[in-house]
Amino acid sequence: MSDDEFRAAMSRLAAGVVLVTAHEPALDPEGPGGEDVGMTATAFMSVSLDPPLVLVSLREGSRMDDLLDEQPLWAVSVLSESQRHIAGRFAMKGRISDRLLFEDIPYVRGEASGALLVGGALATLECRTEQRVPAGDHTLVIGRVLAASVPSADGGPLAYFKGRYRQLG
């Protein structure tokens, strides 16, 4: 089986789209207050109700993988169909500073994680890493959910299918 055959087969599995965020602490306590980092993910799922656990798959060596290796607190915003621009923005390779990418997006800072929670998201979760599992060229990060909310009931979910963002229905 080739990489292309595997990729084509897996593109037929519809997935929800989330924005994973974390706050990178400042290197110098006397300097600026650190930086917020975001990453679009489609490999995200619920693992357990008791205790409440979720899993996100991160490309090994990515900025988010490296950050969550050091910073155990992170958050997830489940994106709505109207937030396709956010998903595309944080999925770009070689992109500009995440600080600039967050500039015109409404958000609040999570009380439990300190990470940004996107305004208008269908749901938000704040997590603490429980386990990291190497898996091929990715790291599976299992997080305990510290807080969850459903701030918006409007609209449907943003989905990813056959290599494109889609709406249900």
Side-chain angles (χ1 to χ4, degrees):
M1 174 188 59
S2 71
D3 289 352
D4 288 341
E5 289 169 321
F6 179 64
R7 190 173 289 114
M10 294 311 299
S11 77
R12 294 332 192 248
L13 177 64
V17 183
V18 302
L19 183 68
V20 180
T21 56
H23 184 74
E24 185 173 39
L27 294 175
D28 177 4
E30 303 292 321
E35 188 172 350
D36 295 301
V37 178
M39 182 201 86
T40 301
T42 56
F44 175 77
M45 63 181 281
S46 168
V47 173
S48 169
L49 184 59
D50 186 18
L53 299 173
V54 294
L55 176 148
V56 65
S57 180
L58 307 174
R59 186 175 38 82
E60 183 182 7
S62 67
R63 183 170 184 199
M64 188 63 74
D65 182 35
D66 292 344
L67 177 54
L68 294 190
D69 193 29
E70 305 276 327
Q71 162 63 285
L73 298 173
W74 46 284
V76 173
S77 297
V78 179
L79 299 180
S80 73
E81 59 195 4
S82 66
Q83 295 176 314
R84 178 185 308 219
H85 65 289
I86 296 172
R89 184 181 295 189
F90 286 92
M92 290 186 304
K93 290 185 178 10
R95 62 186 191 237
I96 59 174
S97 159
D98 283 10
R99 179 180 51 77
L100 296 175
L101 297 179
F102 282 114
E103 206 166 71
D104 64 345
I105 296 173
Y107 62 80
V108 297
R109 191 167 299 281
E111 290 183 27
S113 66
L116 301 186
L117 305 171
V118 175
L122 296 178
T124 60
L125 305 162
E126 294 184 79
C127 306
R128 181 184 64 237
T129 299
E130 291 273 311
Q131 189 175 2
R132 292 173 53 86
V133 180
D137 60 359
H138 277 64
T139 303
L140 306 179
V141 179
I142 300 170
R144 179 179 295 255
V145 179
L146 305 173
S149 70
V150 183
S152 174
D154 295 336
L158 182 60
Y160 193 72
F161 180 69
K162 293 173 78 175
R164 293 184 40 215
Y165 296 116
R166 315 259 180 168
Q167 294 176 267
L168 295 183

